[in-house]
Structures are given as C-alpha cells and as structure tokens.
Amino acid sequence: MRRLLNDPYDVVEEMLEGFCRAHSNHVHLYEDDGRVVVSNLAPVKNKVGVIIGGGSGHEPLFLGYVGENFADAAVIGNINTSPSPEACYHAVKAVDAGRGCIYLYGNYAGDVMNFDMGAEMAAEEGIRVETVTVTDDVYSSKNIPDRRGVAGDFFVFKAAAAKAAMGADLDEVVAAAKKANANTRSMGVALSSATHPATGKAMFELADGDMEIGMGIHGEPGVRRGKLQNADKVVDEIMSFILPDLPFEAGDEVAVMVNSLGATPLMDLHICYRRVAQILDEKKIKIYSSLVGPYATTMDMCGMSITLMKLDSELKELLDYPCNAPYYVKK
C-alpha cells in the first residue's frame, strides 16, 4: 500500500485534526462532535444554514468547501460511509441561525437514512431542515431521482450556498439547489481501484491496462470494461452519454468540470478538457466557466470524470458569487 498513514483505524480523526489545524483561519471541529467541520463564521445571522457531507475518501469533497459564502458545515463519515445521525444533527445545532438549514449530499441510501434521522432530531427542537440530494451521475439509473451524486455535488453546493449567502429564505435555497441539480450531468472512467486504508487492498478488481467507463466513485458498476483507450476516445464515449441526457443543445451555455478521481495528473486532465471543449464547439454549446482538477476524488483512484451544468442567468450569478473556502475561492 503506497499511502502515508499511521493506524488505519485513525485515518479520519487524524485527517480532520490536520485539516482543521492547516485551515484554522477558515474552520474548526465542533466542540461536541469531532466529525463536524464548522465554518469559523457560523452561525451567520439571518442566513439559512448550509450543511454538506458524506463519507471520507473524496477530499476535498466535503470538508474543503466549508467557509465564507460556501457551506457552513460538513459532516464527515468513515471511508465511503455515511455520517452518523447524531453528527448530522450536531451540524444543525452548530450552524442554525433561526432561519432553518438545508442538507446537501450525494444520493446514497445510507446518507439519506442518516441525514433524515438528523433532520427529525432537529425538528423535535423546532428547527426546520430541508434536504436536496444530488443525482448527477447519468449512468447510475435511467430514473433520475434514483441516480447517484458524484462530482456534480460541487455545482449544487455552490449554487445553494450562494443563494443562502444572498439572504434567501429556506424555500428559495431549496429551489436553487434543485434547479442546479436538475441542470447538472456527470460521468466518469476508472483506470484503477482506490486502496482502502483499513485493509491495504484494492477496493475492487480492475486489471492493469483496463478501464471501466461509468464506474461510480465507490466502485459501482459502469457501462463497460475494456482495454484502456486514448484520451479522445474515452472523452468521446463519456460525452456521448452526457450530452443527450439533459439534453444539452446548440445555443446552451455550460459550466464544465474535468475532475481527477485522485491519481490522475493535471496533464491528463487538460488533455481530456481539450477534447471536451472541441466537442462542445462542434455542438455550438458555449463554455461559460471551467474547472480542471481534483474536486471530488476517491483517494488514490486513477481516473477522471466530466461534469456539465447548463446555465441561465440565475445559475451564472450563483456560480460567480464570491466565496472563500480552503479548497475553493471565488473573487
């Protein structure tokens, strides 16, 4: 195992300690729960609390997006495991400023169950909590509400957090999150497994020289396995699923993310972005903004994903709204 760890069963606690010390100007651990990363500004007076979260192993998702005008707190579970209901509830207690809170996370059964329980605990104290789950992974289901949330989490989180920072009420923040989610589509390719720190072994089997198109960030089955092809062919295949799904059409404006799953270098990502841009040019789809880098990873997995978000004037404003978090700054 080529990882720099201590006790594999302490990785989450040690990561969170290191993260919060490294970024102490932005965040701290909640005093009553070491799995809740809280913005130093929270609770923000007269603002809806924005809470994101999920399992560890996808950094900088989720904890890296806690900060000014972004998320108010992130709830962190074990590796690829949902946070506990108590931690979800504690995040509400940490950030609620009297206008309610929104939970935002990828659509996975364990997360849905535990965040829902956290919301019920908050409701018993009279705190309203609403939820929007992200469902951007196009191949994970034909039925959109059943889809998984992957790198498109970022765009949904950003839109909702900006709406909250503008002073919107909880219903308006929920509407912005739902709109962002409805206009976001993602799909990826895995070239290797990630290494689970507790076992030191691959989380799934993928032969050297093979790839799997459409694989999920936890190793969920994709479209097909086969021998690794060149970057242009891989991007062409991924885009052939993403573009017709919304659909994205001539005249649209989009935000683009080419995301590393952990081990894929920026060189490769920019080669892939080049092909994405060529395809969008051919389709007469205008690129409004671009992100290239590791935004939602799976530890040391080699691979990448592509996300497109169809934009209108409101979504442009929300993406452009200034924020300052450890792993994303918008001026």
Side-chain angles (χ1 to χ4, degrees), residues 2 35 45 53-54 79 100 106 204 210 244 260 275 284 302 322:
R2 297 176 182 177
R35 291 299 185 92
K45 186 178 179 181
I79 302 295
F204 57 86
D210 281 0
S260 172
R275 182 58 184 156
K284 293 182 170 50
C302 189

Side-chain angles (χ1 to χ4, degrees), residues 167-243:
D169 65 26
L170 182 52
D171 290 332
E172 292 170 324
V173 174
V174 168
K178 288 181 175 179
K179 182 177 185 178
N181 184 55
N183 285 282
T184 302
R185 299 290 188 274
S186 300
M187 189 169 170
V189 58
L191 312 183
S192 76
S193 173
T195 307
H196 198 295
T199 65
K201 297 179 180 179
M203 292 166 52
F204 57 86
E205 296 300 322
L206 186 60
D208 288 345
D210 281 0
M211 65 177 185
E212 182 159 348
I213 299 284
M215 177 173 279
I217 57 175
H218 306 114
E220 297 93 342
V223 178
R224 66 174 184 87
R225 288 193 178 194
K227 292 300 178 184
L228 177 61
Q229 295 176 298
N230 67 38
D232 284 1
K233 289 182 179 178
V234 171
V235 171
D236 287 352
E237 185 167 357
I238 290 173
M239 292 290 278
S240 75
F241 283 89
I242 291 176
L243 288 171

Side-chain angles (χ1 to χ4, degrees), residues 22-193:
H23 304 289
S24 60
N25 57 323
H26 289 285
V27 299
H28 61 276
L29 285 176
Y30 186 49
E31 183 177 0
D32 295 332
D33 196 318
R35 291 299 185 92
V36 180
V37 177
V38 183
S39 169
N40 291 343
L41 301 176
V44 180
K45 186 178 179 181
N46 295 324
K47 191 182 84 68
V48 170
V50 177
I51 299 167
I52 61 178
S56 298
H58 305 299
E59 295 74 34
L61 196 71
F62 300 88
L63 69 181
Y65 306 133
V66 177
E68 183 180 10
N69 294 343
F70 214 156
D72 295 294
V75 195
I76 307 301
N78 289 326
I79 302 295
N80 292 345
T81 304
S82 61
S84 71
E86 291 78 14
C88 298
Y89 161 71
H90 287 148
V92 173
K93 296 292 289 181
V95 308
D96 178 58
R99 299 193 71 191
C101 297
I102 185 171
Y103 283 152
L104 301 164
Y105 54 87
N107 185 34
Y108 298 91
D111 291 296
V112 171
M113 179 177 67
N114 288 356
F115 274 96
D116 280 355
M117 291 174 66
E120 290 170 2
M121 295 166 70
E124 292 176 358
E125 297 194 18
I127 303 172
R128 181 184 170 202
V129 179
E130 297 292 336
T131 295
V132 176
T133 55
V134 184
T135 56
D136 59 306
D137 190 351
V138 299
Y139 187 71
S140 54
S141 177
K142 291 182 179 179
N143 184 28
I144 292 175
D146 294 332
R147 290 178 175 178
R148 304 180 292 245
V150 285
D153 281 3
F154 175 89
F155 287 134
V156 179
F157 297 170
K158 178 65 177 74
K163 195 72 174 181
M166 292 174 180
D169 65 26
L170 182 52
D171 290 332
E172 292 170 324
V173 174
V174 168
K178 288 181 175 179
K179 182 177 185 178
N181 184 55
N183 285 282
T184 302
R185 299 290 188 274
S186 300
M187 189 169 170
V189 58
L191 312 183
S192 76
S193 173

